[in-house]
């Protein structure tokens, strides 16, 4: 492990350094190598040993660098560098065999020999390495083009090398076909390798690692060619020849190629389409044909070059044909894209209805017609009730299903010529430009949206609120935003005055509702900024020992305190109730943590959790996260729930189950009003029952029977629950409750809710003031 880290540090240093420095070092090493060989330091035998040794060290280093890069990468890129490393290593092993013959055995290396096997493995493996590498060159339909370009370049290169070296090797004549083929395999392998590398690079961005790598390939190709050429010419290959230096340098260059290789994530791989790169294969063909012509003039007809020229030209023609077909397909694509873009710019992608932009445009046009010749204009604004809760509790896919269902149902109602749009979220709108009965249409829409939607085998109740606004003759210069705002105000009136209704806009509405609108916006803003306050009210045992504090939300608008009942409802309507409850919980728990060290016995914190029309599945989870964050044991928290607003009882029970799993205590709030009945207590099995104020108040009257309250307390006790009396204002109420067996009490008598900033351990009942009893 340690030995590995050393070269890694070296390589990292090289990467951090400039490539130019790396190149300079490489040239320096190459120069020293050349000098040693040329000057024959230590005699011919030593020079030969240095020559062969250098050519073992160089591929060894190159293979190491490639292997290092392979280790760092993954997938196809790792395979690519591993294959290349293997190829270079194979070449190095070939060289070891060669050196054995030359230096150890002291005789000329036979041809072909095992050494050739190693050498030739290099182009084969390296080609494989290049082809498996992910590249934008292969992207999409480009693959066929790359093949044709490759054919063009390769045949041109073949012609050139045939005219310069291959031809001579071939004509030089070999003893037998096998020897000839092995001899030819070198230049052909190099040719294919360079073509593949060049094409891959040409179509993607040229990076410095590629420059090094391809330079290495060019160097080895030149060295091989030179070697073949000199061998064919019978001039032999002397120590320190151009070929030896070329091989030595080539693997070092490839090694640098690996060192400077940069991984490019798939989405950042760019296809380069510069005109120079497009023209390059054509240029190759021109050069290839020219070489054929020159050869023709110089030494007569050579069928090999002629055949390959034909291949090059065919590839060029096919490439042209492909370009023509490509262009046709492209322009068809472009047209389709244009249509699509146009459609997308004006339609909602989910429902396919007109979007806000198109709707505004249509309304503006309708208003122009109205001004010109009094054409009628009416808007219907439709907003789903509690849509956010559907999204939050059943997931976004369910939300999408609801929206598409709504779109379908509304589409079935509107007539040709009406514009139905989705303005965003769960807001839909229809523009009517005729004398039709808009009120009737609105009613039909309400009815259509009152039917539940089946999602995940569950009936999801659906309801909408509708606002209508009609432009009258006196509305002369009303503009689009004004008209839309009117419909919006009417819609919010519908929501506020009981959901699932349709309301017409009129001028008086405007005054009232714009205030409501401001309030809604202010509340949402304050809530998200954490500016909704919290008050704490003590809950004491009947012996006036601290038991718990209840956290209550506080909020004011324009400097005036808004009753919690009001803004809690608003929060529920806006789908913000869970956010509100969690904020209050966070503030209360944080404050209680500050008093923690004063508590003789642990004082519980009680929060209200609104389980609205739809219970948020995630509420228990969010609460758990909060408790974990504040490091509060779940058993220190009481969650007060009322059954008042809950419609879907199965959902509520599942929310209760997850709260119970969390380990918090569960209290039934306002017990005795709403839907909470004695029989349901058994099903819910709460830890705490909070007896509603309406039971406590009558206790002041000595003539009133206490049988019912006594019964509730007994039943709760039988179920193992603690009973808390709420709204206790008088000593008498307190005393009667104590005599009936009530366990704890909450009310103005024992302490009013205190804004968190004004709390002290005394006024929220955690500690008693020295010498004074709380009750006195
Ligand atoms: P609740 O949960 O029943 O809270 C007790 C309410 O009774 C509080 O009203 C409290 O100020 C009031 N109260 C306490 N002692 C007495 C008393 O002796 N006499 C009288 N007349 N009233 C007393 P508040 O703060 O106005 O809250 C009203 C309701 O708003 C709460 O009723 C609760 O249902 C809801 N609420 C308040 N804060 C939150 C909250 O953070 N989340 C949720 N979901 N609901 C909240
Ligand atoms: Ca409560
Ligand atoms: Ca209550």
């Amino acid at each position: 492990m340690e030995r590995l880290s050393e070269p890694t540090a070296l390589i990292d240093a090289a990467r951090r350094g400039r490539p130019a420095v790396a190149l300079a070092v490489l040239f320096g090493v190459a120069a020293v190598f050349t000098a040693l060989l040329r000057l024959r330091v230590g005699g011919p035998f030593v020079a030969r040993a240095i020559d062969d040794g250098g050519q073992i060290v160089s591929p060894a280093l190159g293979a190491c660098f490639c292997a290092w890069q392979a280790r760092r990468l993954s997938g196809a890129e790792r395979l690519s560098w591993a294959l290349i490393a293997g190829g270079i290593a194979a070449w190095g092993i070939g060289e070891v065999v060669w050196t054995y013959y030359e230096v150890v055995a002291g005789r000329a290396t036979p041809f072909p020999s095992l050494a050739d096997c190693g050498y030739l493995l290099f182009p084969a493996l390296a080609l494989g390495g290049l082809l498996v590498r992910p590249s934008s060159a292969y992207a999409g339909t480009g693959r066929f083009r790359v093949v044709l370009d490759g054919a063009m370049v390769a045949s041109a290169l073949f012609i050139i090398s045939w005219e310069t070296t291959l031809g001579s090797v071939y004509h030089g004549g070999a003893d037998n076909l096998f020897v000839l083929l092995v001899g030819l395999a070198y230049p052909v392998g190099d040719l294919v390798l360079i073509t593949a590398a060049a094409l891959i690079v040409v179509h993607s961005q040229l990076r410095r690692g590629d420059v090094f790598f391809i330079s290495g390939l060019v160097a080895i190709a030149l060295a091989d060619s030179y070697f073949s050429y000199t061998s064919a010419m019978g001039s032999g290959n002397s120590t320190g020849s151009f070929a030896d230096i070329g091989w030595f340098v080539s693997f070092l260059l490839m090694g640098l190629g690996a060192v400077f290789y940069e991984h490019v994530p798939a989405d950042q791989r760019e296809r380069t389409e510069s005109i120079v790169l497009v023209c390059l294969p054509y240029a190759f063909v021109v050069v290839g044909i020219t070489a054929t012509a020159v050869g023709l003039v110089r030494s007569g007809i050579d069928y090999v070059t002629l055949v390959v020229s034909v291949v090059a030209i065919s590839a060029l023609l096919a490439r042209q044909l492909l370009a023509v077909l490509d262009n046709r397909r492209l322009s068809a694509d472009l047209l389709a894209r244009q249509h699509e873009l146009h459609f997308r710019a004006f339609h909602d992608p989910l429902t396919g209805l007109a979007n806000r932009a198109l709707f505004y445009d249509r309304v503006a046009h309708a208003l122009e017609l109205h001004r010109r010749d009094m054409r009628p204009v009416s808007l219907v604004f439709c907003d789903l009730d509690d849509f956010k809760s559907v999204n939050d509790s059943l997931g976004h896919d369910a939300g999408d299903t609801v929206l598409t269902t709504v779109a379908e149902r509304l589409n079935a109602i509107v007539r040709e010529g009406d514009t139905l749009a989705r303005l965003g979220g769960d807001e839909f709108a229809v523009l009517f430009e005729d004398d039709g009965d808009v009120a009737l249409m609105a009613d039909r829409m309400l009815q259509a949206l009152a039917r539940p939607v089946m999602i995940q085998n569950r009936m999801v109740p659906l309801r909408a609120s509708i606002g209508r606004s009609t432009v009258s003759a006196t509305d002369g210069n009303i503009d689009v935003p004004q008209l839309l705002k009117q419909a919006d105000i009417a819609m919010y009136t519908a929501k506020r005055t009981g959901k699932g209704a349709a309301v017409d806009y009129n001028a008086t509405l405007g005054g009232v509702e714009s205030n409501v609108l401001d309030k809604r916006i202010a509340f949402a803003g304050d809530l998200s900024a954490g500016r909704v306050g919290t008050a704490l009210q003590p809950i004491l045992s009947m012996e006036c020992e601290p038991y718990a504090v209840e956290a209550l939300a506080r909020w004011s608008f324009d400097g005036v305190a808004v009753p919690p009942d009001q803004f809690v409802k608003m929060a529920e309507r806006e789908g913000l109730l869970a956010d509100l409850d969690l904020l209050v919980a966070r503030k209360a728990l944080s404050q209680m943590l500050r008093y923690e060290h004063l508590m003789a016995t642990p004082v519980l914190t009680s929060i209200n959790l609104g389980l609205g029309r739809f219970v948020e599945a995630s509420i228990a989870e969010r609460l758990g996260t909060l408790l974990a964050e504040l490091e509060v044991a779940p058993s220190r928290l009481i969650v007060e729930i009322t059954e008042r607003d809950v419609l879907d009882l199965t959902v509520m029970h599942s929310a209760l189950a997850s709260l119970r799993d969390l380990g918090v205590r569960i209290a039934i709030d306002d017990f005795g009003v709403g839907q909470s009945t004695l029989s349901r207590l058994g099903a819910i099995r709460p830890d705490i029952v909070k007896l509603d104020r309406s039971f406590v108040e009558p206790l002041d009257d000595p003539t009133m029977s206490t049988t019912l309250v006594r019964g509730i307390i007994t039943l709760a006790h039988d179920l193992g629950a603690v009973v808390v009396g709420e709204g206790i204002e008088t000593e008498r109420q307190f005393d009667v409750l104590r005599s009936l067996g009530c366990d704890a009490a909450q009310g103005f008598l024992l302490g009013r809710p205190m804004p968190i900033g004004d709390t002290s351990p005394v006024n929220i009942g955690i500690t008693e003031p020295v010498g004074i009893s709380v009750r006195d």
Side-chain angles (χ1 to χ4, degrees), residues 389-395 398 401-402 409 451-462 613-617 648-655:
S389 320
V390 177
N391 247 347
D392 290 345
S393 59
L394 300 179
T401 311
V402 168
R409 290 187 191 170
R451 275 182 284 134
V453 183
M454 281 298 283
I455 296 174
Q456 297 156 14
N457 281 331
R458 172 187 291 172
M459 294 242 288
V460 175
L462 204 60
R613 251 164 64 75
F614 295 94
V615 180
E616 271 195 60
D648 193 337
L649 279 173
T650 52
V651 179
M652 188 188 113
H653 282 294
S654 88

Side-chain angles (χ1 to χ4, degrees), residues 550-552 606-609 640-642 644 668-670 690 726 746:
E550 177 172 1
L552 297 156
S606 201
I607 60 154
N608 295 283
L609 204 61
E640 299 186 11
I641 52 166
T642 83
R644 233 192 312 225
I668 295 289
D669 203 356
D670 308 327
K690 295 191 79 175
E726 281 194 302
Q746 177 182 7

Side-chain angles (χ1 to χ4, degrees), residues 83-106:
L83 282 170
I84 294 170
I88 296 178
W91 198 97
I93 291 166
E95 185 61 26
V96 170
V97 176
W98 176 282
T99 306
Y100 169 79
Y101 281 117
E102 242 184 19
V103 179
V104 183

Side-chain angles (χ1 to χ4, degrees), residues 154-170:
S155 22
L157 283 174
F158 182 87
I159 293 169
I160 295 161
S161 47
W162 181 263
E163 286 297 335
T164 51
T165 57
L166 279 184
S168 348
V169 174
Y170 182 76

Side-chain angles (χ1 to χ4, degrees), residues 618-686:
S618 59
I619 191 74
E621 203 185 308
R622 291 175 70 186
L623 207 53
T625 312
L626 177 67
L627 289 169
E629 185 197 321
L630 298 178
E631 296 179 26
V632 172
S635 61
R636 296 286 295 275
L637 184 72
I638 302 170
V639 171
E640 299 186 11
I641 52 166
T642 83
E643 286 184 295
R644 233 192 312 225
D645 317 307
V646 179
L647 289 189
D648 193 337
L649 279 173
T650 52
V651 179
M652 188 188 113
H653 282 294
S654 88
L656 274 174
S658 32
L659 284 171
R660 208 175 281 288
D661 286 345
L662 184 62
V664 297
R665 297 176 200 230
I666 291 167
I668 295 289
D669 203 356
D670 308 327
F671 184 81
V673 299
Q675 303 185 31
S676 39
T677 60
L678 290 175
S679 65
R680 227 178 247 160
L681 265 190
I684 295 177
R685 291 202 156 262

Side-chain angles (χ1 to χ4, degrees), residues 134-140 142 146 200 203-205 269-272:
S135 163
S136 49
Y138 302 139
V146 170
I200 290 166
H203 283 291
S204 46
Q205 276 172 310
R269 270 179 225 139
E270 285 170 26
R271 240 188 106 86
T272 322

Side-chain angles (χ1 to χ4, degrees), residues 322-339:
L322 197 70
V324 172
L325 293 177
D326 258 5
N327 280 347
R328 277 182 51 161
R329 191 180 40 80
L330 265 174
S331 51
D333 268 7
L334 212 65
L335 207 68
R337 277 283 290 277
Q338 252 172 4
H339 282 303

Side-chain angles (χ1 to χ4, degrees), residues 537 550-554 563-565 568 577 580-581 584 608-610 640 642 644 669-670 693 726-729 746-749 751 753:
Q537 186 180 24
E550 177 172 1
L552 297 156
R554 293 291 178 262
D565 293 320
V568 164
L577 193 51
L580 172 70
D581 291 345
V584 171
N608 295 283
L609 204 61
E640 299 186 11
T642 83
R644 233 192 312 225
D669 203 356
D670 308 327
R693 201 165 64 231
E726 281 194 302
I728 300 170
E729 295 181 351
Q746 177 182 7
F748 293 166
L749 176 73

